[in-house]
């Protein structure tokens, strides 16, 4: 943990980014676009003005909260691929709490209750795979993945039923959450709200949970060697159960943060929002080494890349799937170098 | 143990090399980017003027052709414009997106303005950062092709008072209906449209063409504009052929559900329908495929399918929306400075909505349809709707259709 160690770590990661970027630019070059413009946009655009920086932290907020939950799961050796579904159900429950309780409860307590509702929604959606995994030893990856599809159907049903707005002019939309129940804006004329600070608080909670508590130690030992953990008296199934529930709650909480801080309304396109964040968060958690602090940095890296990529798509007009290919190249080379590095150091 | 040591040795070297590579690449890209982005790009307009003079003298004809090419930077107010088109899907749908795409391309050729197109932004909230980014870059006109962009446009428009947000399938009266208390921004140019008139004509052809007396119609989400089109279609069928029965399907919440639309059309054919019509967007693609495979008649909305796909034999026709007329009017209003609170309704009488008939529709049917079309144009034939049926479709007076024809 010396200075030279950090220097080497930074040098290696920077080199990996350069290699990945070159590979990605090779793909862009094949399509015939201007690669110098593409690369400079990808790198400089996210910091070019306040709006882009704010957009970056909109992505950061959602990605980071979801990835913290997934990271805890990875530590225990369970893979929660169900974040998109938990994100959706959390958002739906947030909306339902607002819709049904707003005549009875004043704004401030209700706002807190909505956040709790979001976490509870994600938790409920993770309950099914958690029971299957810990009681029957079923594969949580398959169950969580398939429940994502079910969650989309639940969203469609809810938009036509319980959360359908009174003001939707015949369209399947929810009502807009009024200003009093929103998370206030952090930068004017942007979509960034104080949910960023709440997200950072969540990261701190996850750090304490994973590194400073008895439960964190149990999670780590179950992940390293379940048999040894069982022999030393840890209830493996119960630990996995709790871990999956926490991961679900984090994803659901991210849903309510996004709904109350950024979008304020749900429509059929909300399913796509959940998918955008939920699947990328898996890569974020992996790149961050499943460590709460690592995830903090990998979320910044990923949101930087996503905003750079969106700008790149706008400026050189390449198809969006290509953008994912460029980001993918960087991710592969980073993961590879990280592996080599971990073995060496 | 020795293996691990050797890995470490390589990795240190690799790290050093990579660090150098990273520095060189980073500095190089940075320098090039600064150089490349430094100067603002000039917009040049090239105009070619061809003049031909023919003189006929005693027994001889002399033709003189002169070609002059004029190039000058930033020539007209039109060529200085920057225009963005936001599409929910992409132009390959030969329908809603295609019609808008063709319209802006036509105007781009005419005026030479700078054009950007953003595709696959189905969701209004997803499109918001894109619209804001272009507006900040000084784009003058931002076209959102669909009602999903309406709330977003009215929300961000006050930040960019000099940018015109052109919202298709939107109306100022709907802004409050979507969000109580929401303000109508003056720099959103709203364009409303009617699908009823075209739906009526297509329904009429369908009623004439069917032999099994069963007709299918498949639509996207059950929203007011699509619903009007369907009800008018049923009215058209009833007018042409009182014995015909209409099978109707809406795809839940999705205008891009090609596979679902195809399946719905196939099940209608299986139930005996020999006409399956589509009412727009990706739905058209699925229904056209199903109709081609099972050899039944079909029709589409928005783009001119008889011109785009002359290979389709059993094509009744398309309801064509000439968005270029609409966009042109809005752009001219923008140049004149009379565009604030702009509102325009696309109807048949305004020339924006037309009908394009398939080549194999019998001549007598074509003649009948054209006479109905003329009646709509002249205003003698009007179609209205009982809007209470939208929420309560099972009321007896809503069967078989909630559309009412006046002056038939």
């Amino acid at each position: 943990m010396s200075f030279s160690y950090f220097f080497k770590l930074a040098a290696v990661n920077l080199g990996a980014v350069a290699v990945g970027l070159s590979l990605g630019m090779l793909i862009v070059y094949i399509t015939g676009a201007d690669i110098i413009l593409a690369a400079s946009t990808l790198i400089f655009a996210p910091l070019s003005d306040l709006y882009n920086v704010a957009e970056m932290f909109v992505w950061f907020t959602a990605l980071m909260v979801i990835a913290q939950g997934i990271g805890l799961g990875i530590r225990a050796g369970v893979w929660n691929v169900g974040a998109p579904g938990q994100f959706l159900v959390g958002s739906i429950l947030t909306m339902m709490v607002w819709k049904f309780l707003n005549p009875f409860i004043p704004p401030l307590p209700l706002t807190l209750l909505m956040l709790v509702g979001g976490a509870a929604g994600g938790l409920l959606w993770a309950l099914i795979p958690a029971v299957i995994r810990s009681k029957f030893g079923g594969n949580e990856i398959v169950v969580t993945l398939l429940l994502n599809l079910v969650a989309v159907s639940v969203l469609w049903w809810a938009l036509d039923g319980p959360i359908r707005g009174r003001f939707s002019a015949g369209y399947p939309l929810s009502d807009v959450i009024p200003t009093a129940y929103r998370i206030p804006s952090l930068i004017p004329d942007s979509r960034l709200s104080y949910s960023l600070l709440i997200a950072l608080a969540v990261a701190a909670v996850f750090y304490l949970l994973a590194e400073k508590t008895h439960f964190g130690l149990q999670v780590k030992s179950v992940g390293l060697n379940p048999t040894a953990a069982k022999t030393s008296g840890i209830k493996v199934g119960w630990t996995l159960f709790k871990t999956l529930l926490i991961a679900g709650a984090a994803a659901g909480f991210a849903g309510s943060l996004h709904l109350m801080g950024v979008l304020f309304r749900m429509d059929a396109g909300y399913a796509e929002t959940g998918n955008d964040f939920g699947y990328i968060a898996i890569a974020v958690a992996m790149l961050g080494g499943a460590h709460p602090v690592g995830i903090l940095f990998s979320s910044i890296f990923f949101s930087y890349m996503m905003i750079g990529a969106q700008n790149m798509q706008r400026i050189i007009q390449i198809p969006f799937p290509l953008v994912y290919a460029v980001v993918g190249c960087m991710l592969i080379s980073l993961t590879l170098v990280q592996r080599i590095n971990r073995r060496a150091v | 143990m020795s293996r691990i040591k050797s890995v470490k040795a390589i990795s240190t070297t690799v790290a050093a090399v990579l660090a150098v590579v990273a520095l060189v690449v980073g500095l190089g890209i940075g320098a090039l980017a600064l150089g490349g982005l430094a100067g603002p790009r000039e917009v040049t307009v090239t105009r070619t003027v061809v003049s031909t003079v023919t003189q006929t003298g005693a027994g001889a004809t002399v033709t003189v052709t002169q070609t002059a090419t004029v190039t000058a930077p930033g020539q007209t107010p039109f060529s200085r414009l920057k225009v963005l088109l936001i599409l929910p899907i992409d132009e390959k749908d030969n329908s809603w997106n295609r019609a808008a795409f063709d319209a802006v391309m036509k105007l781009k050729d005419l005026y030479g303005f700078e054009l950007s197109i953003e595709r696959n932004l189905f969701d209004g909230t997803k499109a918001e950062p894109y619209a804001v980014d272009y507006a900040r870059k000084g784009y003058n006109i931002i076209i959102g092709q669909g009602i999903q962009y309406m709330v977003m446009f009215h929300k961000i428009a006050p930040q960019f008072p000099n940018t015109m947000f052109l919202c298709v399938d939107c109306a100022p009266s709907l802004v409050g209906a979507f969000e109580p208390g929401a303000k109508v921004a003056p720099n959103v140019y709203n364009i409303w449209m009617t699908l009823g008139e075209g739906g009526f004509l297509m329904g009429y052809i369908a009623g004439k063409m069917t032999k099994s007396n069963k007709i299918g119609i498949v639509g996207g989400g059950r929203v007011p504009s699509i619903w009007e089109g369907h009800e008018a279609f049923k009215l058209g069928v009833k007018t042409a052929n009182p014995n015909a029965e209409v099978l109707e399907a809406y795809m839940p919440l999705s205008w891009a559900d090609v596979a679902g639309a195809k399946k719905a059309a196939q099940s209608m054919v299986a139930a005996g329908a020999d006409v399956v019509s589509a009412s727009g967007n990706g739905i058209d693609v699925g229904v056209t495929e199903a109709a081609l495979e099972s050899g039944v008649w079909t029709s589409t909305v928005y783009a001119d399918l008889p011109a785009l796909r002359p290979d389709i034999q059993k094509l009744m026709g398309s309801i064509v929306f000439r968005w270029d007329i609409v966009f042109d009017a809005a752009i001219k209003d923008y140049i004149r400075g009379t565009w604030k609170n702009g509102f325009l309704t696309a109807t048949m009488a305004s020339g924006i909505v037309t009908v394009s008939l398939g080549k194999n529709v019998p001549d007598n049917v074509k003649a009948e349809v054209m006479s109905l079309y003329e009646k709509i144009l002249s205003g003698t034939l009007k179609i209205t709707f009982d809007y209470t049926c939208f929420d309560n479709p099972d009321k007896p007076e809503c069967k078989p259709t909630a559309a009412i024809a006046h002056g038939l």
Side-chain angles (χ1 to χ4, degrees), chain A:
Chain A
M1 290 289 160
S2 62
F3 177 74
S4 75
Y5 168 79
F6 277 109
F7 175 74
K8 206 170 96 179
L9 200 69
V12 165
N13 282 332
L14 221 69
V17 169
V19 170
L21 186 64
S22 317
L23 275 176
M25 286 306 126
L26 196 70
I27 298 176
V28 174
Y29 178 72
I30 292 168
T31 66
D34 179 355
I35 53 168
I36 302 294
L37 185 65
S40 60
T41 310
L42 186 67
I43 294 171
F44 296 116
L47 300 177
S48 61
D49 59 18
L50 199 61
Y51 187 80
N52 273 314
V53 174
E55 274 300 304
M56 194 173 105
F57 282 104
V58 167
W59 271 81
F60 170 82
T61 305
L63 276 184
M64 202 264 290
V65 173
I66 300 172
Q68 292 290 5
I70 296 175
L72 192 72
I74 295 177
R75 284 193 156 206
V78 283
W79 291 83
N80 175 28
V81 194
Q86 292 145 8
F87 185 94
L88 284 189
V89 176
S91 308
I92 294 169
L93 220 68
T94 308
M95 188 53 97
M96 279 167 78
V97 167
W98 171 73
K99 191 179 168 189
F100 296 116
L101 297 182
N102 79 72
F104 314 111
I105 303 179
L108 191 65
L110 186 58
T111 310
L112 297 176
L113 208 60
M114 282 157 77
L115 288 170
V116 173
L123 192 139
L124 275 177
W125 210 243
L127 195 63
I128 306 157
V131 168
I132 291 175
R133 176 73 176 85
S134 57
K135 284 281 160 207
F136 308 106
N139 187 332
E140 80 282 357
I141 301 179
V142 177
V143 180
T144 49
L145 188 67
L146 292 179
L147 277 175
N148 289 344
L149 306 178
V150 181
V152 173
S153 303
V154 170
L155 171 71
W156 286 11
W157 163 79
L159 281 174
D160 230 356
I163 63 170
R164 178 159 190 155
R166 283 172 303 138
F167 302 97
S168 59
Y171 290 78
L173 291 168
S174 75
D175 277 335
V176 178
I177 296 177
T179 319
Y181 302 91
R182 295 177 187 174
I183 298 172
S185 173
L186 191 63
I187 299 176
D189 290 342
S190 81
R191 304 200 299 167
L192 187 62
S193 67
Y194 275 95
S195 47
L196 173 65
L197 302 186
I198 301 176
L200 290 175
V202 169
V205 168
F206 267 92
Y207 176 76
L208 295 176
L209 190 69
E211 295 289 321
K212 305 286 175 200
T213 63
H214 192 61
F215 173 69
L217 198 66
Q218 285 180 342
V219 164
K220 219 186 273 181
S221 48
V222 167
L224 285 172
N225 190 337
T227 322
K230 198 176 174 187
T231 325
S232 56
I234 296 171
K235 290 176 186 159
V236 175
W238 178 231
T239 309
L240 292 181
F241 182 79
K242 282 193 284 188
T243 312
L244 269 173
L245 288 195
I246 292 172
F253 190 70
S256 57
L257 284 184
H258 200 67
L259 181 64
M260 291 163 66
V262 183
L263 295 184
F264 317 124
R265 149 172 269 165
M266 296 180 78
D267 57 16
Y270 205 87
E272 216 179 308
T273 312
N275 284 346
D276 278 353
F277 294 135
Y279 290 122
I280 292 177
I282 299 169
V284 172
M286 282 174 72
L287 187 69
H291 190 283
V293 180
I295 288 170
L296 212 61
F297 286 109
S298 66
S299 315
I300 290 184
F301 173 73
F302 259 90
S303 11
Y304 191 93
M305 279 297 111
M306 291 319 290
I307 300 303
Q310 280 180 12
N311 274 286
M312 182 171 84
Q313 186 220 1
R314 261 172 252 164
I315 286 179
I316 61 174
Q317 299 268 311
I318 57 169
F320 205 71
L322 209 61
V323 163
Y324 281 117
V326 174
V327 175
C329 282
M330 296 186 137
L331 184 63
I332 289 169
S333 81
L334 261 174
T335 323
L336 213 63
V337 168
Q338 228 188 23
R339 278 279 150 207
I340 297 169
N341 194 41
R342 197 170 299 158
R343 258 193 357 204
V345 175

